[in-house]
């Protein structure tokens, strides 16, 4: 699954989830002909990205190309069950990427329109956000 090779700090602050605003970068198709664009703001985990990637690669086989436009670099920590208060911050459990509405998540090329839309729709079922299929054509 996706995770950073090396980070400056092992753990990070949670940060605020800003409810307003749209993506001002990563919101335009750059590589492929069709893309999956988020319509909501949420955290997407590395497992969810991997699950969607497997779904896409299973359908496109060797005829198309896939780009993953997001990378999970935010560590999320968790303390064990029934651990008393105190004792510091828990260990890193998984990594997420915070996305805003308008962020392109996946891009594909090399497939016809009907198959591309079918593949991206099946991948969107694996993600925790509402999405829209966008095209360059």
């Amino acid at each position: 699954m996706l995770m950073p090779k090396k980070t400056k700090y092992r753990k990070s602050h949670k940060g605020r989830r800003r409810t307003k605003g749209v993506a001002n970068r990563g919101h335009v198709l750059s590589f492929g002909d069709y893309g999956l664009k988020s319509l909501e703001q949420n955290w997407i985990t590395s497992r969810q990205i991997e699950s969607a990637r497997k779904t896409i690669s299973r359908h496109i086989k060797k005829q198309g190309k896939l780009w993953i436009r997001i990378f999970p670099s935010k560590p999320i920590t968790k303390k064990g069950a029934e651990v008393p208060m105190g004792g510091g911050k828990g260990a890193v459990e998984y990594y997420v990427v915070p996305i805003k509405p308008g962020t392109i998540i996946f891009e594909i090329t090399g497939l016809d329109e009907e198959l591309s839309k079918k593949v991206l729709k099946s991948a969107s079922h694996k993600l925790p956000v509402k999405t829209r299929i966008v095209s360059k054509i």
Side-chain angles (χ1 to χ4, degrees):
M1 282 183 285
L2 295 171
M3 63 186 291
K5 286 190 186 100
K6 185 179 176 185
T7 56
K8 189 168 184 180
Y9 300 105
R10 200 163 43 95
K11 302 172 185 178
S12 73
H13 292 298
K14 188 179 287 188
R16 288 194 313 255
R17 290 196 182 193
R18 291 169 179 84
T19 55
K20 294 182 183 176
V22 294
N24 55 6
R25 59 184 172 193
H27 63 284
V28 178
L29 287 175
S30 301
F31 306 103
D33 297 328
Y34 296 94
L36 198 62
K37 184 182 242 186
S38 91
L39 300 176
E40 296 177 332
Q41 169 232 342
N42 206 341
W43 283 350
I44 297 182
T45 68
S46 57
R47 286 181 179 212
Q48 291 163 342
I49 296 169
E50 179 66 12
S51 176
R53 183 199 66 80
K54 280 183 180 177
T55 303
I56 293 171
S57 61
R58 192 178 303 124
H59 284 84
I60 65 174
K61 299 187 173 85
K62 293 182 189 258
Q63 57 185 336
K65 183 155 173 53
L66 166 70
W67 288 271
I68 303 172
R69 294 283 308 273
I70 56 176
F71 184 78
S73 57
K74 184 183 185 71
I76 303 300
T77 60
K78 190 174 181 183
K79 294 178 93 168
E82 299 184 16
V83 174
M85 297 291 282
K89 195 171 170 80
V92 173
E93 191 77 12
Y94 56 94
Y95 287 86
V96 300
V97 54
I99 61 163
K100 290 182 176 180
T103 303
I104 301 287
I105 302 169
F106 294 106
E107 290 188 34
I108 57 173
T109 191
L111 305 171
D112 62 323
E113 182 179 1
E114 185 182 326
L115 184 59
S116 297
K117 289 186 176 180
K118 180 185 169 201
V119 167
L120 290 173
K121 184 165 176 60
S122 64
S124 70
H125 294 304
K126 307 288 183 184
L127 300 172
V129 292
K130 289 181 184 171
T131 56
R132 174 176 291 145
I133 297 167
V134 293
S135 67
K136 195 179 274 189
I137 302 165

